[in-house]
Amino acid sequence: MLDTSDAHRSTFPGFRDGLCSSIIVNLDLLGPLRVSRDGVEVPLPSVKQRLLLAGLLLRPNEVVGTDELLAVLWSDEPPASATANLRTYVHGLRRALGPSGRERITATAGGYLIRLSPGERDLDRFDAAVARGRASLAAGEPEQAAMHLADALDMWRGAPLSDLPHSPLLARRIRRLVERRLLAEEDHAAARLAAGAAAGVIERLRALVEQHPLRQRAWAHLMTALYHTGDVSGALDAFQQARGALAEQTGLDPGPELVRLRDGILHHRLAPGVPGPAIGGPAAGGPATGGPVTGNPAARQRDDRRPAQLPLALPRFIGREPELSRLDHWLDDGTAGPTTVVISAVSGMAGVGKTALALRWAHRVADRFPDGQLYLNLRGYDDVDAVSAAEALRSFLETLGVSDARIPTTTDARIGLYRSLLATRRMLILLDNARDSDQVRPLLPGTGFCAVVITSRDQLNGLIRVEGAKPLTLNVLTEQESRNLLGNWLGAERIDGEPDAVTGIIDAAGRLPLALSIVAARMAAKPTLPLTAFATELRRHEALLDALDDGDVRRVFSWSYRALSEQAAELFRLLGLHPGPDLTAGVAAALSGQTPAAVTAPLRELTRLHLLTEHQPGRYVLHDLLRTYAAELAASGTRDDHRRAAYQRLYDHYLHQAYPAARLLQPQWAPIPPMPQLPDSLATPLAGRQAALDWFAAERRVLVRIVRQAADTGFGTYAWQLAWALTAFLAPHGLWQDQLTVQQIAVASAETAGDLGGQAMANRMLARAALRLNRHDVAERRLECALKLYERIGDLTGQAQTLHSRTELAYEVGKPQDALVYGRQALRLHRLANSAAGEGRTLNAIGYIYATTGEYELAIASCTEALALQEKIDDRNGQAATLDSLGFAHERLGAHEHAVDLYERSIRLFRDSADRYHEAETLVRLGDVRATMGDLAAAGKAWRRATEIYDSLGDPAADDTRSRLARLDGK
């Protein structure tokens, strides 16, 4: 074989070394720092020179700021002469690099730049080889992929820059390099497994998990390799080792992918040659580097779902041309590098127009990002609901086409997957309203072709210093821009006719865009009133409250508030009691104790005067400054009893919208007795299941806040009952973290209210969320608590449901015999409570556990009894699940024809009840048994149908069905 490992090392003909015009220069970071010219090592005896070179090489072909280089050289304590010393080190480094040194390292405004050609760094050659390997793997060429990835890994000579002292900044950069190697190691193992060379990766994987025991993807590959070499006990032992390491170091259990792999090994359901699941690595969602993967249908499907999340740009945007030009320049300058992420940090006081500028620019350049745009309001200054890194990453991963089942449970794993998905995309990412650098940093791409714009009141110095973000500080508008803004609202004739009044208005508003817009909206509403009258009134009014640190904005708010009609002013105050982020006219009516028709005019007035924004049809939002102002008015200007009555109307409205919607979504749930509806409540039940789904989707974020606020304001019963209703939506959608949050509040609220039934319910639902998040210890404790509470109040159905959950928990942690004990206890109680639906589902659960442990006759007996009961009560989804279990048992007994009939009946019922995920699962089993019978055409048909469903759901199981189809095509 032709060794091409050096074929990508380019010469640098633009720099002449002595008499030679094409000397090969290698600058190697993947091990001790090494510089060579034509194979001869260049000595760099000074540690500071080597650190300086390392700092430049980690960001080639871009300006590295002086502050960043000082941080590399001296950590956080540079001497007083540091800047002068840096110039000395640069001079010495240039001389050491030879005749091209001065041309390679150039001084620029604010820092230094090193110019490199592609392939001169070993890191570049590593990335190129990894990209070729991943492309081959995606194209179904595992042998070629393994060769490229092995070439890449052979370039590592040890830990990166292992001969140098590591400042905190340098250590962070090195950790990123190590993560790239570990991902490549896992991809290499995946390629070898796909090529059928399981035995050849075991030793290397054992070394990997020994050094990095928290990497679940590596554990998955090791388990798969051991299984395919016939060492089933070794594979199961590896799972226990992974569980022990995770529990000891993080307190968490293995993720669901690893648990499912364990189950597949335990029950011999792994297909030959299929690598373990991709947990938080590139294979989980696409290649980490390289070009687009056109051979992967799932990747093509992601491309078809091009995100376009930018909100509308503000229609009355004025000025800011210098700032827009700077953003244009940074984008043009940054895209010259092949792996450069352009980061722009727009900062300034509240109301200065940061979001308006960012949106204006983003829409202007959106066509330069063919893979789309991501947008998220991080709500950094929201005291209640700032967006966490984990929540933001989940949102972005969902937008990028990653299904709930594939989203990792840990924040670090989500970061890895997010960056892997972005590595091959050219996307624009707008992170709005960030609190600080720490909130933003996990959301930055690691490498690739993206541009990121961040808005914040904070200057984000950490991002500027460490990540090289470009700072853009917005000031208030100029005098002329302020006049133009007013002219846009009022017309040039009106502005030019009263120049002194206009000057007074601009001065009173402090040239702040938000304040000017509020003032202009009011003046536009009264076209016949002289501007002098507005200017006089604005000067005369004093602020109700102290001025903000960032400008006398409250004076403007006060002026606008005083101009409101009595009805609009009262509604504005009451809106301050709503936790946000947005609300409907119906909610506004509930707060005010009026009909929706009665609040239409006040809402229109508030919107017209820019005190409220209708950001979506029928949904209103307050700017964060205005919400704070309204809340302060409500606290100071509304009687306590009136304020408490408004709170109760608010919670009553949400509960009596949410409760019937929950019953539509989960009719089989045992209902709770909700708080009686207030006599004047206008909450009305929704029309059907789809309407309920749509309502919860629109209100989910509001409801999480409402649950918390209800508890904080002394309405604990509303809190736990709203949490129960919201869970009817959260659980089926896999929003386990939200469920965990609201049920934790529910437990505390029910305890405060002394409601034992509420406590039991909340503990059981909290346990379910903890189980899905692999927090098994938490789930066990909460289930034990729920069971005791249900026993105390004599609720047999609640006890049975709790024991059913304990059945599931025991099975998940690998204790099927314990699971059977709990299942039998649950069955007895369901029968005592005359709960036919619960009895049928528990009989099926017991039967399935029997089947997975090889007790097929017992499985068939239990499931047959379940099926008869479910047919009697017409539980069609329960019948489908039971038929699937029966098919599985008969298939294992060799009764293939009967298994086929059972699977096909199950599939029809799943399809009728719109349970597409379980339909696909049963289709896979149907294909397996058809293949065993030799009917390959029918097997392929079933697997293709399953693949289509999994693709439509964005589920990673599609990869397994494609592997089955690929093997089928090879026969």
Side-chain angles (χ1 to χ4, degrees):
M1 179 188 299
L2 177 65
D3 184 358
T4 61
S5 60
D6 288 340
H8 296 270
R9 301 187 184 185
S10 303
T11 60
F12 216 115
F15 299 117
R16 297 180 62 86
D17 269 294
L19 300 176
C20 299
S21 60
S22 58
I23 289 177
I24 295 177
V25 177
N26 291 321
L27 301 144
D28 297 337
L29 304 164
L30 306 181
L33 181 64
R34 186 175 67 185
V35 180
S36 63
R37 294 181 9 240
D38 273 349
V40 178
E41 187 164 352
V42 176
L44 294 174
S46 165
V47 172
K48 293 297 187 186
Q49 285 182 3
R50 296 167 72 81
L51 281 169
L52 170 62
L53 179 59
L56 293 170
L57 288 176
L58 287 169
R59 291 179 56 191
N61 302 316
E62 59 179 297
V63 176
V64 183
T66 299
D67 288 346
E68 181 175 333
L69 291 173
L70 296 182
V72 170
L73 292 168
W74 287 286
S75 190
D76 295 327
E77 299 179 1
S81 60
T83 302
N85 292 350
L86 174 61
R87 289 195 293 269
T88 300
Y89 297 140
V90 169
H91 177 73
L93 182 57
R94 285 168 172 165
R95 189 170 58 234
L97 292 177
S100 70
R102 179 166 293 278
E103 295 175 86
R104 278 188 181 276
I105 302 175
T106 58
T108 63
Y112 293 89
L113 177 148
I114 188 168
R115 290 187 172 88
L116 300 183
S117 276
E120 287 195 313
R121 295 188 310 169
D122 57 353
L123 179 58
D124 297 328
R125 300 192 295 275
F126 167 78
D127 285 340
V130 169
R132 292 193 297 275
R134 287 173 177 153
S136 296
L137 189 57
E141 300 170 350
E143 294 87 354
Q144 191 75 7
M147 181 191 73
H148 289 309
L149 290 162
D151 287 344
L153 294 168
D154 286 345
M155 297 178 196
W156 286 70
R157 299 169 288 109
L161 303 173
S162 56
D163 58 331
L164 296 177
H166 296 170
S167 65
L169 171 58
L170 193 58
R172 282 196 293 272
R173 296 280 171 81
I174 288 172
R175 283 196 295 271
R176 295 178 191 171
L177 299 184
V178 171
E179 176 63 21
R180 282 150 83 169
R181 180 184 70 81
L182 295 175
L183 290 171
E185 286 275 11
E186 291 167 348
D187 288 339
H188 176 252
R192 296 289 301 276
L193 286 168
V201 298
I202 292 174
E203 183 177 351
R204 192 159 186 154
L205 284 169
R206 286 196 189 280
L208 179 58
V209 296
E210 183 176 347
Q211 295 177 31
H212 304 278
L214 302 184
R215 298 192 71 84
Q216 296 192 53
R217 187 177 178 226
W219 282 110
H221 288 332
L222 177 58
M223 291 165 61
T224 305
L226 291 166
Y227 175 81
H228 285 314
T229 58
D231 188 359
V232 176
S233 63
L236 295 173
D237 183 60
F239 175 81
Q240 294 301 330
Q241 292 176 49
R243 168 184 280 170
L246 288 163
E248 180 180 350
Q249 298 189 36
T250 70
L252 299 175
D253 288 316
E257 298 93 342
L258 207 61
V259 172
R260 283 196 292 271
L261 176 62
R262 185 280 315 271
D263 292 343
I265 290 170
L266 185 63
H267 308 305
H268 300 283
R269 292 200 293 265
L270 257 64
V274 178
I279 304 171
T289 57
V293 181
T294 58
N296 186 335
R300 288 199 300 272
Q301 186 185 48
R302 286 194 304 272
D303 294 339
D304 293 340
R305 296 197 301 265
R306 177 180 178 270
Q309 292 190 318
L310 291 178
L312 288 174
L314 297 182
R316 297 180 186 271
F317 186 86
I318 292 293
R320 303 295 196 191
E321 285 303 323
E323 290 86 354
L324 292 168
S325 296
R326 287 175 68 185
L327 291 169
D328 286 339
H329 171 72
W330 290 336
L331 179 62
D332 294 337
D333 189 52
T335 53
T339 60
T340 301
V341 176
V342 181
I343 306 172
S344 305
V346 181
S347 62
M349 71 174 70
V352 80
K354 301 180 293 294
T355 299
L357 172 76
L359 285 174
R360 177 77 167 194
W361 181 78
H363 280 284
R364 196 161 86 171
V365 300
D367 61 345
R368 297 178 60 177
F369 297 90
D371 295 315
Q373 321 102 38
L374 298 175
Y375 170 85
L376 189 62
N377 181 356
L378 297 174
R379 302 191 296 277
Y381 292 88
D382 190 316
D383 293 335
V384 176
D385 203 19
V387 178
S388 67
E391 184 180 4
L393 288 162
R394 168 177 279 280
S395 174
F396 280 158
L397 289 171
E398 288 174 344
T399 301
L400 291 168
V402 181
S403 67
D404 284 343
R406 179 170 269 171
I407 294 175
T409 56
T410 68
T411 300
D412 285 346
R414 289 182 185 180
I415 292 171
L417 177 54
Y418 169 69
R419 290 175 176 167
S420 297
L421 291 172
L422 291 181
T424 58
R425 289 169 164 88
R426 188 179 296 278
M427 299 191 75
L428 177 61
I429 303 163
L430 177 49
L431 304 174
D432 197 15
N433 197 20
R435 180 182 61 252
D436 51 30
S437 299
D438 290 339
Q439 189 184 23
V440 169
R441 191 167 278 121
L443 309 180
L444 299 178
T447 185
F449 317 95
C450 296
V452 183
V453 181
I454 306 152
T455 70
S456 178
R457 299 179 201 173
D458 188 89
Q459 291 184 339
L460 303 176
N461 289 326
L463 289 186
I464 294 166
R465 183 176 63 253
V466 178
E467 276 77 18
K470 309 294 186 183
L472 178 61
T473 302
L474 281 191
N475 292 313
V476 294
L477 297 174
T478 65
E479 177 81 15
Q480 187 58 50
E481 287 175 332
S482 300
R483 287 181 178 274
N484 292 344
L485 188 151
L486 292 177
N488 195 293
W489 278 91
L490 306 175
E493 182 177 349
R494 195 174 178 193
I495 292 295
D496 294 341
E498 299 183 70
D500 292 340
V502 169
T503 299
I505 291 167
I506 290 171
D507 289 344
R511 292 185 280 136
L512 191 69
L514 175 64
L516 280 168
S517 295
I518 293 172
V519 171
R522 183 182 167 197
M523 293 189 296
K526 298 186 177 182
T528 61
L529 197 64
L531 298 184
T532 303
F534 289 106
T536 301
E537 184 182 4
L538 187 57
R539 283 196 300 269
R540 186 174 65 245
H541 282 144
E542 296 180 357
L544 290 175
L545 304 169
D546 293 336
L548 290 171
D549 292 339
D550 51 14
D552 198 5
V553 183
R554 282 186 177 138
R555 182 159 59 122
V556 175
F557 293 170
S558 170
W559 179 72
S560 297
Y561 170 71
R562 288 170 182 251
L564 292 171
S565 67
E566 183 179 344
Q567 294 84 355
E570 181 183 8
L571 180 59
F572 181 71
R573 291 194 303 273
L574 290 171
L575 293 180
L577 303 179
H578 191 276
D582 62 0
L583 52 85
T584 63
V587 173
L591 273 168
S592 62
Q594 302 181 74
T595 65
V599 298
T600 299
L603 285 173
R604 190 180 298 121
E605 183 178 349
L606 292 171
T607 304
R608 186 178 69 251
L609 295 180
H610 275 237
L611 293 173
L612 193 65
T613 301
E614 189 175 10
H615 73 117
Q616 294 176 16
R619 300 195 72 85
Y620 300 87
V621 64
L622 283 167
H623 186 282
D624 53 357
L625 289 180
L626 287 165
R627 179 182 291 129
T628 299
Y629 180 62
E632 291 170 345
L633 288 176
S636 62
T638 304
R639 285 171 37 184
D640 288 348
D641 58 333
H642 289 182
R643 192 164 59 249
R644 185 165 181 82
Y647 275 134
Q648 184 172 9
R649 289 193 301 269
L650 177 68
Y651 305 144
D652 175 85
H653 175 83
Y654 277 116
L655 176 61
H656 291 285
Q657 288 291 136
Y659 181 81
R663 297 287 293 137
L664 286 169
L665 296 185
Q666 304 291 350
Q668 76 279 10
W669 281 14
I672 61 169
M675 289 282 288
Q677 191 168 0
L678 294 177
D680 57 351
S681 173
L682 296 173
T684 55
L686 297 161
R689 178 181 173 82
Q690 188 57 51
L693 284 170
D694 293 341
W695 185 83
F696 272 119
E699 302 291 351
R700 172 177 70 91
R701 198 176 297 281
V702 178
L703 288 168
V704 172
R705 293 186 180 203
I706 286 288
V707 169
R708 183 183 292 116
Q709 181 176 282
D712 291 343
T713 51
F715 291 88
T717 302
Y718 280 109
W720 80 256
Q721 292 188 354
L722 278 164
W724 177 90
L726 179 55
T727 296
F729 175 81
L730 298 176
H733 288 78
L735 298 168
W736 304 115
Q737 190 58 56
D738 276 356
Q739 181 173 332
L740 189 77
T741 298
V742 297
Q743 294 301 337
Q744 285 171 332
I745 297 169
V747 167
S749 298
E751 287 174 350
T752 301
D755 190 322
L756 298 182
Q759 293 175 51
M761 179 76 68
N763 271 286
R764 182 168 61 83
M765 289 187 162
L766 176 55
R768 182 162 182 80
L771 172 60
R772 294 305 182 194
L773 291 169
N774 292 305
R775 297 171 64 172
H776 293 155
D777 291 344
V778 173
E780 178 65 33
R781 289 196 302 272
R782 292 298 176 177
L783 288 173
E784 184 177 350
C785 184
L787 188 60
K788 290 178 180 178
L789 287 163
Y790 280 128
E791 288 171 347
R792 185 174 171 185
I793 61 177
D795 186 338
L796 295 179
T797 299
Q799 294 174 53
Q801 290 172 325
T802 305
L803 287 164
H804 191 107
S805 295
R806 294 191 84 164
T807 304
E808 184 178 356
L809 174 61
Y811 181 76
E812 285 290 323
V813 298
K815 298 178 179 179
Q817 296 307 315
D818 289 352
L820 287 170
V821 171
Y822 292 132
R824 294 186 190 108
Q825 293 173 358
L827 181 61
R828 181 180 63 83
L829 291 173
H830 275 307
R831 286 170 170 165
L832 285 174
N834 293 316
S835 173
E839 180 182 351
R841 301 221 172 193
T842 301
L843 280 167
N844 176 47
I846 292 171
Y848 182 75
I849 294 169
Y850 275 139
T852 61
T853 56
E855 299 284 353
Y856 302 120
E857 298 297 342
L858 290 174
I860 292 169
S862 184
C863 290
T864 300
E865 186 179 357
L867 185 61
L869 185 57
Q870 290 163 337
E871 289 173 340
K872 182 178 179 181
I873 63 174
D874 198 30
D875 181 358
R876 298 175 67 80
N877 192 263
Q879 292 173 50
T882 302
L883 287 165
D884 176 84
S885 299
L886 284 167
F888 176 72
H890 283 287
E891 178 189 351
R892 291 308 171 99
L893 285 171
H896 296 145
E897 290 286 358
H898 190 33
V900 165
D901 177 65
L902 291 164
Y903 283 145
E904 288 179 340
R905 289 169 60 193
S906 171
I907 289 164
R908 285 194 296 272
L909 287 169
F910 276 135
R911 188 179 301 133
D912 289 345
S913 58
D915 191 339
R916 303 194 72 212
Y917 178 83
H918 289 104
E919 178 188 348
E921 268 196 337
T922 307
L923 280 165
V924 173
R925 294 194 182 101
L926 175 62
D928 289 345
V929 71
R930 287 288 196 189
T932 301
M933 296 167 66
D935 190 349
L936 300 185
K941 181 179 178 182
W943 289 336
R944 275 187 288 274
R945 285 168 58 196
T947 303
E948 290 168 2
I949 293 173
Y950 283 137
D951 277 339
S952 70
L953 298 174
D955 194 279
D959 296 337
D960 291 336
T961 54
R962 280 198 189 87
S963 297
R964 285 171 163 84
L965 288 167
R967 291 195 302 275
L968 192 65
D969 292 340
K971 292 184 179 180

